[in-house]
Each structure stands twice: as C-alpha cells, then as structure tokens.
C-alpha cells in the first residue's frame, strides 16, 4: 500500500515512531505541497503506537500544515473488510474450498494425524499451496510474520515519496526537510 500510494510516511508496529518522526513527516508533506504536489498520504497501522493514535496524528498534521494543506483521516481497514466479494473473490473461494476438501479427505484417510497435518491454504506465485502451521514463522499474538522482509524497502519508499527535484532521503529528516533545521 505504501509504494502504490507514494505515501510520505508510514507508521507500523515493527518500527518505533516518535514525535520527531511525526513532525518531520508533516513537514515533508508541507514541502511536497509547496512544490506543487496535490496530496500527501500517511499510512498508520492501528497498532503502530499506543500513544500516537489517529486523532493525535491527524491533529498534529492539521496544526503543522494549517496554512498549506487540509488534513483528513480515514480508517481503511474497516473499508477493506466490509465490501461484497468480487467475482474473482468468489471463484478463488470456490477453488480453495474444492482443494481444501480434497486435502482434508486425503489427510483423514491416514491412520494417525500429526501436527504436520495442520495446514493453512494460500497462494505462492500462482500456485495454491498447503503450508504446515509449524513451518510458519509468525509472531502469533501480533499476527505478523517474524521475517519482516519489507522493512528493507523503507529507503526506496521514502525516495519514491520525495518531492520532485529532490535527490535522496536520509533516515533522519535533517537532509530532506528544510523545517527540521529550525528546531
């Protein structure tokens, strides 16, 4: 979602967020708007911080950008989970149901089930696969993979979100945000 929307900032539980980062990203949005960009998008996971909730982040952005941009908040997770399934969704569900049924029949004809028989169905590439739950490297309480490979993409995402005519982005905001030098 971050790459496809060219988000200016992203706040996720896997990376600590602090007030300096929030303010820095607000200034980045302001810089983008000043340079002619029509929008700035911030994506915040609901569990990214116990203190910096949506209302706080929205108020911070509204205050920092009050003369330059308008701030609105939308909770996309509720939208994503609530719509009617598409024809593709229905066809995929039917395909999964058939494959799962065949797999259950095959496994239950064995004399004894083992923990390796507890599987989840999914898609890898274009192939439907059954993966034993014991092979999943998951942080079960948080329902996320242990290997967060996408965190390595953060520098790329930040670079894609830069205003036009900006060469690079650093982990700290100083080199890309003209406002942070004033602190």
């Amino acid at each position: 979602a971050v790459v496809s929307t060219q988000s200016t900032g992203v706040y996720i539980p896997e990376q600590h967020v602090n007030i300096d980062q929030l303010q820095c990203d607000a200034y980045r949005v302001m810089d983008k708007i000043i340079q002619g960009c029509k929008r700035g998008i911030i994506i915040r996971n609901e569990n990214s911080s116990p203190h910096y909730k949506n209302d706080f982040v929205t108020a911070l952005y509204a205050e920092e950008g009050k003369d330059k941009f308008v701030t609105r908040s939308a909770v996309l997770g509720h939208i994503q989970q609530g719509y009617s399934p598409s024809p593709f969704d229905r066809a995929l569900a039917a395909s999964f149901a058939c494959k799962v049924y065949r797999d259950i029949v095959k496994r239950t004809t064995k004399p004894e089930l083992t923990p390796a028989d507890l599987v989840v169905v999914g898609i890898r590439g274009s192939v439907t696969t059954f993966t034993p739950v014991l092979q999943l490297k998951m942080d079960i309480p948080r329902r996320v993979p242990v290997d967060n490979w996408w965190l390595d993409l953060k520098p790329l995402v930040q670079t894609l979100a830069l205003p036009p005519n900006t060469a690079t982005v650093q982990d700290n905001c100083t080199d890309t945000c003209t406002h942070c030098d004033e602190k």
Side-chain angles (χ1 to χ4, degrees), residues 35-151:
Q35 292 184 28
C37 188
K38 301 290 184 200
R39 53 128 181 93
I41 296 175
I42 301 297
I43 296 178
R44 181 193 165 276
N45 178 285
E46 62 189 302
N47 297 318
S48 62
S49 169
H51 307 291
Y52 303 124
K53 302 286 188 186
N54 280 348
D55 291 342
F56 177 84
V57 173
T58 302
L60 175 78
Y61 275 76
E63 181 61 26
E64 296 298 334
K66 61 184 166 197
D67 297 330
K68 305 289 186 246
F69 58 85
V70 175
T71 304
R72 293 190 180 96
S73 175
V75 180
L76 298 180
H78 301 159
I79 295 169
Q80 291 174 338
Q81 296 173 13
Y83 284 110
S84 300
S86 70
F88 176 79
D89 296 329
R90 290 186 180 103
L92 184 61
S95 171
F96 274 178
C98 289
K99 291 175 182 180
V100 166
Y101 175 77
R102 283 190 218 119
D103 188 71
I104 289 171
V105 169
K106 182 178 81 177
R107 289 177 195 277
T108 55
T109 59
K110 293 169 51 176
E112 188 176 312
L113 294 176
T114 67
D117 289 311
L118 178 60
V119 297
V120 292
V121 64
I123 298 175
R124 282 203 181 130
S126 60
V127 178
T128 302
T129 61
F130 293 90
T131 304
V133 171
L134 295 175
Q135 288 181 10
L136 299 176
K137 295 179 181 135
M138 297 289 295
D139 178 347
I140 301 297
R142 292 178 40 220
R143 297 173 41 180
V144 296
V146 172
D147 178 22
N148 300 314
W149 57 267
W150 59 86
L151 294 179

Side-chain angles (χ1 to χ4, degrees), residues 19 22 43 61 63-64 82 93 106 115 150 152-153 163-164 168-169 177:
I19 191 67
L22 291 169
I43 296 178
Y61 275 76
E63 181 61 26
E64 296 298 334
K106 182 178 81 177
W150 59 86
D152 294 337
L153 298 176
T168 60
V169 65
C177 180

